[in-house]
């Protein structure tokens, strides 16, 4: 007797003349197919879309930076001449630099009456401050006006990723033009290290920060202190990591199989229940007639 391979078929076919189509079954079948199509498109969209996963941990993520953080600062002083403006940097490691000029530029506006400062510099990963003042000027002005607009203050690499939202330039657009011209401004910054890892595994290091500020006129026993714009910073030990991830192919296939199988199973049970109830109701009606 020849071997019949068909005996391994677990999906035995029922002849069409032994099946009975119904309107209810047709409606359920159409709804079932539409439902499967909807879920399939939803899962396909999720599979194609890149997900950004966020996590927190305690560590210094950028150990190759040499303990430095790059800073980008851009602001305008509408009522102060550029030759009077200077950037001073100091921190708890003993750094004290007055009139920092490396990688910085002063742009004269309105025939020299206004000044725009753009600079890139680095700070140590320890608490400290950098401030804008007239301390480096050869001759101190009598009443320097420190009203200002901050266009940009950012730390580390610039992240331009749609799925990542954070305070990377929290002071951008800060307008202090209506402040007291003789007042000093204190911005207290809490810097949070941030790592962004794309799908290829490449990492970029940036820093978010929160800010609180106050405005005051300072005095000492010798009189009023020359105003300045202070940026006092400290680093958070918590690192934020954003990682790009895409759903794995086998999980996508498993989900699609579960959707199709589960939907057809539930639809089959529902159709069977409706058909059985319909047949029972017909028998009851026939019994009443007889």
């Amino acid at each position: 007797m020849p071997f019949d391979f068909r005996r391994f078929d677990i999906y035995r076919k029922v002849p069409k003349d032994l099946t009975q189509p119904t309107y209810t079954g047709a409606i359920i079948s159409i709804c079932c197919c539409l439902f499967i199509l909807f879920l399939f498109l939803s899962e396909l969209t999720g599979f194609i879309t890149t997900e950004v996963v966020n996590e927190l941990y305690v560590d210094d993520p950028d150990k190759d930076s040499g303990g430095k953080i790059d800073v980008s600062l851009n602001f305008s002083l509408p009522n102060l001449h550029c030759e009077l403006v200077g950037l001073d940097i100091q921190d708890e490691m003993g750094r004290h630099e007055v009139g920092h000029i490396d990688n910085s530029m002063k742009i004269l506006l309105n025939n020299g009456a206004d000044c725009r400062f753009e600079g890139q510099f680095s700070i140590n990963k320890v608490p400290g401050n950098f401030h804008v003042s007239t301390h480096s000027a050869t001759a101190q002005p009598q009443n320097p006006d420190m009203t200002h607009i901050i266009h940009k203050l950012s730390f580390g690499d610039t992240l331009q990723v749609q799925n990542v939202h954070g305070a990377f330039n929290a002071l951008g657009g800060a307008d202090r033009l209506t402040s007291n011209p003789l007042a000093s401004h204190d911005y207290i910054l809490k810097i949070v290290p941030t790592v962004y890892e794309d799908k290829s595994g490449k990492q970029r290091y940036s820093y978010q920060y929160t800010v609180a500020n106050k405005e005051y006129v300072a005095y000492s026993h010798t009189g009023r202190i020359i105003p300045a714009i202070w940026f006092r910073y400290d680093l958070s030990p918590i690192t934020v990591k954003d990682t790009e991830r895409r759903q794995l192919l086998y999980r996508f296939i498993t989900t699609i199989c579960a959707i199709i199988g589960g939907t057809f199973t539930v639809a089959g049970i529902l159709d069977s229940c409706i058909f059985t109830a319909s047949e029972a109701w017909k028998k009851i009606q026939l019994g009443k007639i007889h």
Side-chain angles (χ1 to χ4, degrees):
M1 181 178 179
F3 178 75
D4 188 1
F5 190 75
R6 293 179 299 175
R7 69 178 62 182
F8 293 105
D9 184 7
I10 61 175
Y11 302 102
R12 302 297 177 94
K13 309 304 182 292
V14 179
K16 287 188 176 180
D17 56 352
L18 297 179
T19 60
Q20 179 182 352
T22 62
Y23 288 107
T24 305
I27 295 173
I28 292 176
S29 298
I30 294 173
C31 293
C32 178
C33 291
L34 292 175
F35 185 67
I36 289 175
L37 179 62
F38 169 73
L39 292 181
F40 173 77
L41 293 177
S42 299
E43 286 296 325
L44 182 62
T45 302
F47 176 69
I48 296 173
T49 304
T50 300
E51 180 186 12
V52 177
V53 180
N54 183 277
E55 60 180 312
L56 303 176
Y57 61 92
V58 178
D59 195 9
D60 179 8
D62 191 8
K63 295 182 174 63
D64 298 328
S65 63
K68 303 285 186 180
I69 299 176
D70 294 328
V71 183
S72 179
L73 178 62
N74 187 330
F75 63 89
S76 296
L77 294 166
N79 303 310
L80 197 63
H81 292 280
C82 275
E83 63 267 16
L84 300 174
V85 178
L87 178 67
D88 308 331
I89 307 172
Q90 59 189 61
D91 59 37
E92 293 187 359
M93 291 185 67
R95 180 182 183 183
H96 192 179
E97 187 175 347
V98 178
H100 178 86
I101 58 174
D102 295 338
N103 298 320
S104 62
M105 177 173 55
K106 301 176 185 178
I107 304 172
L108 301 176
L109 304 173
N110 296 334
N111 298 321
D114 299 356
C115 182
R116 179 164 180 152
F117 180 93
E118 299 178 2
Q120 286 80 38
F121 54 96
S122 62
I123 57 175
N124 294 316
K125 292 182 178 180
V126 295
N129 73 80
F130 51 92
H131 55 276
V132 180
S133 67
T134 60
H135 297 161
S136 59
T138 53
Q140 292 295 319
Q142 188 67 28
N143 294 309
D145 187 339
M146 285 296 171
T147 54
H148 60 278
I149 299 175
I150 300 175
H151 306 290
K152 179 182 180 181
L153 174 60
S154 62
F155 301 86
D157 296 338
T158 300
L159 293 181
Q160 295 180 342
V161 184
Q162 292 183 350
N163 295 334
V164 176
H165 303 283
F168 296 99
N169 185 24
L171 277 174
D175 188 335
R176 300 293 182 267
L177 296 181
T178 58
S179 301
N180 185 345
L182 302 179
S184 291
H185 300 266
D186 258 16
Y187 296 101
I188 296 93
L189 313 177
K190 193 70 172 181
I191 302 175
V192 182
T194 303
V195 183
Y196 186 83
E197 182 177 320
D198 59 22
K199 295 188 294 292
S200 65
K202 181 181 177 181
Q203 292 185 340
R204 283 182 286 173
Y205 303 97
S206 187
Y207 296 84
Q208 303 180 58
Y209 62 92
T210 59
V211 59
N213 68 284
K214 62 179 179 178
E215 174 187 331
Y216 59 93
V217 178
Y219 292 91
S220 68
H221 63 280
T222 58
R224 183 171 53 82
I225 298 176
I226 297 176
I229 305 171
W230 296 83
F231 301 90
R232 308 181 192 272
Y233 61 87
D234 194 4
L235 271 79
S236 169
I238 303 297
T239 295
V240 178
K241 184 177 182 181
D242 296 307
T243 307
E244 285 186 352
R245 290 181 185 172
R246 180 170 288 176
Q247 185 179 0
L248 298 176
L249 179 60
Y250 78 88
R251 289 188 177 179
F252 172 70
I253 295 175
T254 302
T255 303
I256 295 302
C257 292
I259 289 173
I260 296 174
T263 304
F264 273 120
T265 300
V266 174
I269 294 173
L270 180 62
D271 179 60
S272 177
C273 291
I274 294 175
F275 180 77
T276 303
S278 175
E279 291 298 310
W281 177 254
K282 289 180 181 179
K283 290 179 179 180
I284 293 173
Q285 295 298 322
L286 287 174
K288 287 182 178 180
I289 292 174
H290 295 291

